[in-house]
Amino acid sequence: SFLRARGCNTSNMSIKQAIGHKFSPTKVHITEKDVSLYALGVGEGWHPTDQSNLKFVYENHPDFAPLPSMVVNFPLAVLAQLFENVPGLAFNPMMLLHGEQYFEIRGKIPTSGTLVSSGHISNIYDKGKGALVVIDAITVDEATGKEVCFNQSSLFIRGLGGFGGDRGTAADTNPPSRHPDVVHKEETTPQQALLYRLSGDYNPLHADPSMAEMGGFKQPILHGLCTLGFATRAVVHHFCNSNPVHVQSVRVRFTKHVFPGEQIITEIWKVGPRRLLFQCSVAGREGLVLSG
């Protein structure tokens, strides 16, 4: 889950009417500080004298660059509009879960500047127990007008299913029946969610113990997008020679929560010249927390 909840519409109109709904464009101003803060929020910098780590957190490094997964935060203000007057969508924000995320790099990610994101609801799938709302967003560099990235966020809203819509299809992300090519183990810190939220994802579920309890958790949980960042970093360092330009796109499904302080285990398989499959689990607990 993600985002800070705002008021929601109480309309009883058909859910299908929301398909195609366009959100107002939003702007985000990023600085070199934001680039470094995001990298630290997803675990970068454990080895501060290692040049392959330092390049993502130190603005004076000659190869200073954003991590590719930083782009998932650019359209957060677009997604937040889902809680505002969207025809046909009336729901309790506490019933929303982040189901899947896809991002595609379409241009150079700047280390500073103004980025403009525009998005719309591209589809809504009927999953029986809930509705899967798919939001497509394109982000451009305001200075050049060129596209920087595309994001597709699939948000599962419990209790809104059964409206007679298409169920959609599930992507095949089953890994090969062999040992992974790389197993990357990394600790998160107890304050990981408190640090990651400073990159723009302020949902109190990840900071406020009382809100976490309302959501059914014993303590605040880590952002799913933060887990995505940990996994993407593992790919960058193990398969891209720590060069972020080699990452073209990433698709993941969020399946379970992670508590700050737990160890994330990322298993990665190379399944083609330019294609990898990976999955994440946490030490000491069964089941996957992320697959992609």
Side-chain angles (χ1 to χ4, degrees), residues 49-217:
T49 59
D50 185 331
Q51 295 297 316
S52 67
N53 279 222
L54 199 58
K55 67 190 291 183
F56 297 110
V57 297
Y58 180 47
E59 69 281 0
N60 288 327
H61 192 284
D63 296 322
F64 181 61
L67 284 165
S69 53
M70 183 181 180
V71 303
V72 301
N73 284 339
F74 297 161
L76 285 179
V78 171
L79 304 188
Q81 295 176 56
L82 187 66
F83 297 104
E84 303 169 353
N85 305 309
V86 177
L89 281 183
F91 65 96
N92 179 347
M94 294 300 292
M95 301 300 283
L96 183 146
L97 298 171
H98 200 156
E100 300 177 12
Q101 182 71 32
Y102 171 77
F103 71 81
E104 179 181 308
I105 308 299
R106 295 186 173 179
K108 184 178 180 180
I109 309 170
T111 55
S112 63
T114 300
L115 301 171
V116 182
S117 297
S118 302
H120 70 283
I121 297 176
S122 61
N123 218 327
I124 302 179
Y125 296 109
D126 188 342
K127 296 297 185 178
K129 294 183 178 180
L132 189 69
V133 180
V134 182
I135 299 176
D136 291 357
I138 293 176
T139 300
V140 302
D141 187 326
E142 186 179 55
T144 65
K146 294 182 179 180
E147 291 187 8
V148 174
C149 61
F150 169 80
N151 275 278
Q152 184 176 81
S153 305
S154 299
L155 312 174
F156 185 74
I157 305 175
R158 292 170 288 176
L160 284 191
F163 59 89
D166 182 10
R167 280 192 58 86
T169 58
D172 180 14
T173 57
N174 292 322
S177 56
R178 58 177 172 83
H179 291 297
D181 296 301
V182 166
V183 178
H184 180 87
K185 299 181 180 181
E186 192 164 13
E187 307 287 343
T188 62
T189 66
Q191 66 269 32
Q192 199 76 57
L194 296 175
L195 180 59
Y196 182 81
R197 70 190 299 270
L198 300 180
S199 288
D201 196 338
Y202 296 109
N203 186 342
L205 177 67
H206 306 293
D208 189 330
S210 62
M211 292 297 292
E213 186 176 355
M214 288 177 59
F217 300 103

Side-chain angles (χ1 to χ4, degrees), residues 38-44 46 56 67-70 72 101 103 182-188 192 196 222-244 246-256 258 262-269 276-282 288-292:
Y38 173 80
L40 292 169
V42 296
E44 196 60 89
W46 272 108
F56 297 110
L67 284 165
S69 53
M70 183 181 180
V72 301
Q101 182 71 32
F103 71 81
V182 166
V183 178
H184 180 87
K185 299 181 180 181
E186 192 164 13
E187 307 287 343
T188 62
Q192 199 76 57
Y196 182 81
L222 194 63
H223 307 68
L225 291 178
C226 183
T227 304
L228 164 60
F230 269 79
T232 303
R233 279 184 48 245
V235 167
V236 168
H237 288 303
H238 287 287
F239 290 90
C240 302
N241 196 29
S242 300
N243 188 342
H246 294 308
V247 175
Q248 180 179 357
S249 63
V250 173
R251 184 184 301 276
V252 299
R253 176 177 297 171
F254 304 106
T255 51
K256 284 187 179 180
V258 176
E262 289 187 308
Q263 182 187 72
I264 297 176
I265 303 171
T266 304
E267 300 174 299
I268 311 171
W269 291 261
L276 304 170
L277 287 179
F278 61 87
Q279 60 187 29
C280 296
S281 58
V282 295
L288 298 177
V289 298
L290 179 150
S291 62

